[in-house]
Amino acid sequence: MDGFDFRQLCGRFATGIAVVTARDAEGRPAGMTVNSFTSVSLEPPLVLLAIDRAASMHEVLLGATHYTINILEAHQESLSRRFASGNPDRFEGSASRPMHSAASCLTARWRTSAATASTPSRRATTR
């Protein structure tokens, strides 16, 4: 299966969309759209985010003490597209609300959490 066919296949799988936000080392807000967000455990409450190492948000999240996951609703497609774009100033014109020392809240459904751990992974080849 080539990359195009794989993308088309995966694109048929319905998933939720969220925007994860945090502050970089200089305290500037950073964020990106994710669909690789899933709950892992209720006790303790754990979630999994899969972020490509090449993404600018990867280093931000590794250094962040807190992050916010903003769960998007169907009418917030423009917000999803804004944070999925390559625009470096994704917060400009958004109705974000700064959260204590952590990140920015963009939606009515959000949760700010302390960053506790990350586990790097490698790209694998299956034969």
Side-chain angles (χ1 to χ4, degrees), residues 1-119:
M1 177 180 297
D2 67 16
F4 178 80
D5 288 339
F6 183 68
R7 183 179 184 138
Q8 293 298 316
L9 176 67
C10 290
R12 296 182 190 281
F13 180 70
T15 183
I17 302 292
V19 172
V20 62
T21 59
R23 295 209 176 265
D24 68 13
E26 287 77 38
R28 296 178 301 230
M32 74 180 289
T33 299
V34 297
N35 68 350
S36 59
F37 163 71
T38 188
S39 62
V40 176
S41 169
L42 293 175
E43 281 299 323
L46 296 174
V47 297
L48 170 78
L49 296 169
I51 309 296
D52 189 321
R53 290 182 187 182
S56 60
M57 193 66 181
H58 184 265
E59 287 300 316
V60 172
L61 287 171
L62 286 179
T65 60
H66 291 78
Y67 61 89
T68 298
I69 297 172
N70 298 272
I71 308 298
L72 302 186
E73 297 181 22
H75 70 278
Q76 294 176 302
E77 181 179 349
S78 63
L79 193 59
S80 169
R81 290 187 184 281
R82 173 188 301 203
F83 280 85
S85 76
N87 182 357
D89 195 5
R90 297 173 183 144
F91 288 86
E92 185 175 324
S94 71
S96 66
R97 299 181 301 277
M99 305 303 290
H100 55 85
S101 64
S104 295
C105 175
L106 300 167
T107 64
R109 296 181 180 180
W110 56 272
R111 172 75 180 158
T112 297
S113 299
T116 57
S118 65
T119 304

